[in-house]
Amino acid sequence: MISYKKDSIVIRNISGTSQAVNQMDVDATSPLSVSLMPSGLDKMLGEQKMKDLMNYLLTSIHPAEIQYPFLPPMKNASEVNAVLSNRAQVPDTKQSKDPMNILWVSGPKDHGPDEHDYPLQQERWTKLISLEDNVSITNVSQWPSSDQFKNSDVIVFYWNFPGFNEEHGKQLDSFLQRGGGLVYLHYAVDATENPKALADRIGLVWQGGVSKFRHGEVELKITENDHPITQGFNRVIFHDESYWQLVEGAKNINVLATAEEEGKEIPMLWTTTEGKGRVFVSILGHYNWTFDDPLFRILLLRGIAWTGNQSNHRFEDIVTIGARVSK
């Protein structure tokens, strides 16, 4: 590889050493017709490792820069691999590479540094999910339009929208009835002005002045080990925020994981259905570092896949890209 510096040409070889040569001493330069990459590397690595290498080389995704004075310990690679290896293909899902259209709904950031950063996570997860084959992801920073509902297979809500009302609820009803998938993350469950309208669609919701919260270690107890979203999990600790004393809706929910608050097991992850549609809700998602936790990523990516009637390992190739993982 060569580069130019004033009157010199700097030549760098594949070992990383470089040598400067006066341009007056160079008769000509011409590009190589072949890559410096060793011949046959693709066959030596195999399809999956070659894909991993290209993802690494072509993406600029790195863990989010944290301003908060605290940073929780990283999960290690063996924990991640144990979960990923302990899962089975669910027989009633589509093929793993079927086309998928995702809409990610965001809004203005509403908390302090590294908290509730809806725009940042929308940007980061758009880049991450776009690495997956045959997936289209669109962003919106307000309530989705009719066309956006129509053109989406799964809608991810990471946005505080306390003004949710029955008219919004009817749009969700129509979307679910025709087989759409909904993913609600953390404070997206806020429906302070009309909590029952949202609770009747997703099961449990936050109401200001009624619901409670706590920041710190949240130990999830997995209650559905054979569900496609939580396969391979048992107990796992995140440093995030828990909600409880939530408003209940008319829908039955399938609780996937709980955490203990005030001596009671409180739902933290759950699913519900309506018609052909599926809903996945995660109370986790307060801090930026949570979205870079590989175990949370598995849960969220599986949640997106499950609501879209996709295989539970649809997105496993991108779980650790830019994540906080120790060896």
Side-chain angles (χ1 to χ4, degrees):
M1 179 176 11
I2 66 172
S3 59
Y4 294 88
K5 186 177 181 181
K6 293 185 178 180
D7 297 329
S8 300
I9 294 178
V10 179
I11 304 171
R12 180 174 296 168
N13 61 30
I14 58 175
S15 67
T17 60
S18 59
Q19 179 183 2
V21 179
N22 192 305
Q23 288 195 44
M24 298 295 292
D25 297 331
V26 178
D27 293 330
T29 62
S30 61
L32 288 173
S33 60
V34 296
S35 171
L36 288 175
M37 194 74 77
S39 177
L41 181 65
D42 55 337
K43 294 182 177 61
M44 180 180 71
L45 291 178
E47 181 180 354
Q48 185 55 54
K49 288 185 178 180
M50 192 65 188
K51 182 177 180 180
D52 292 342
L53 174 62
M54 295 309 296
N55 277 340
Y56 175 78
L57 293 175
L58 295 175
T59 182
S60 59
I61 300 174
H62 304 287
E65 294 185 8
I66 301 299
Q67 303 176 48
Y68 206 82
F70 168 83
L71 192 60
M74 292 188 287
K75 303 295 193 303
N76 62 60
S78 62
E79 292 178 274
V80 179
N81 293 333
V83 172
L84 290 176
S85 63
N86 188 13
R87 59 99 179 96
Q89 169 69 48
V90 180
D92 63 347
T93 56
K94 299 177 183 178
Q95 296 300 310
S96 61
K97 299 300 179 183
D98 279 355
M100 195 174 189
N101 296 314
I102 299 171
L103 179 66
W104 191 290
V105 183
S106 178
K109 188 179 186 307
D110 58 23
H111 274 53
D114 299 307
E115 301 173 303
H116 292 208
D117 202 334
Y118 316 124
L120 176 65
Q121 295 309 328
Q122 182 187 62
E123 176 187 355
R124 287 172 56 76
W125 278 70
T126 297
K127 290 180 180 178
L128 180 67
I129 291 174
S130 294
L131 296 174
E132 184 56 51
D133 295 337
N134 228 7
V135 173
S136 171
I137 180 165
T138 304
N139 294 336
V140 63
S141 297
Q142 58 188 4
W143 185 256
S145 67
S146 297
D147 283 344
Q148 286 169 331
F149 271 105
K150 180 180 178 181
N151 296 325
S152 301
D153 298 312
V154 173
I155 302 178
V156 179
F157 285 94
Y158 185 46
W159 171 42
N160 174 32
F161 186 41
F164 187 94
N165 60 39
E166 193 60 35
E167 289 305 308
H168 298 119
K170 291 177 181 178
Q171 288 181 287
L172 295 189
D173 291 340
S174 297
F175 181 69
L176 289 168
Q177 285 293 335
R178 61 100 163 158
L182 297 176
V183 175
Y184 270 77
L185 303 176
H186 197 57
Y187 209 25
V189 303
D190 179 22
T192 295
E193 294 179 22
N194 192 339
K196 194 169 187 311
L198 183 57
D200 284 345
R201 276 78 189 189
I202 70 170
L204 299 169
V205 302
W206 172 277
Q207 183 179 16
V210 174
S211 302
K212 297 183 178 182
F213 67 94
R214 178 185 63 82
H215 301 95
E217 281 196 357
V218 179
E219 182 177 357
L220 294 191
K221 176 183 177 182
I222 306 301
T223 55
E224 284 282 347
N225 299 89
D226 57 351
H227 193 280
I229 296 174
T230 46
Q231 281 181 354
F233 284 89
N234 186 11
R235 288 179 179 267
V236 58
I237 295 176
F238 297 98
H239 191 102
D240 203 81
E241 182 182 23
S242 58
Y243 295 160
W244 68 101
Q245 208 160 293
L246 301 177
V247 175
E248 297 183 13
K251 300 187 71 63
N252 292 323
I253 64 172
N254 179 29
V255 179
L256 303 182
T258 63
E260 185 177 335
E261 297 293 351
E262 297 184 335
K264 297 180 180 179
E265 292 295 330
I266 306 300
M268 292 293 294
L269 305 174
W270 67 86
T271 63
T272 188
T273 59
E274 177 65 37
K276 298 178 181 178
R278 294 175 168 183
V279 180
F280 169 64
V281 182
S282 168
I283 295 301
L284 297 171
H286 180 80
Y287 294 105
N288 283 335
W289 61 61
T290 299
F291 288 88
D292 287 339
D293 185 306
L295 296 184
F296 178 75
R297 283 191 177 188
I298 293 173
L299 293 168
L300 176 49
L301 288 168
R302 285 182 178 177
I304 293 171
W306 180 80
T307 59
N309 284 282
Q310 300 280 325
S311 160
N312 60 338
H313 52 95
R314 177 71 171 85
F315 296 102
E316 68 179 20
D317 291 343
I318 63 173
V319 163
T320 58
I321 295 176
R324 298 182 64 244
V325 186
S326 64
K327 295 183 179 180

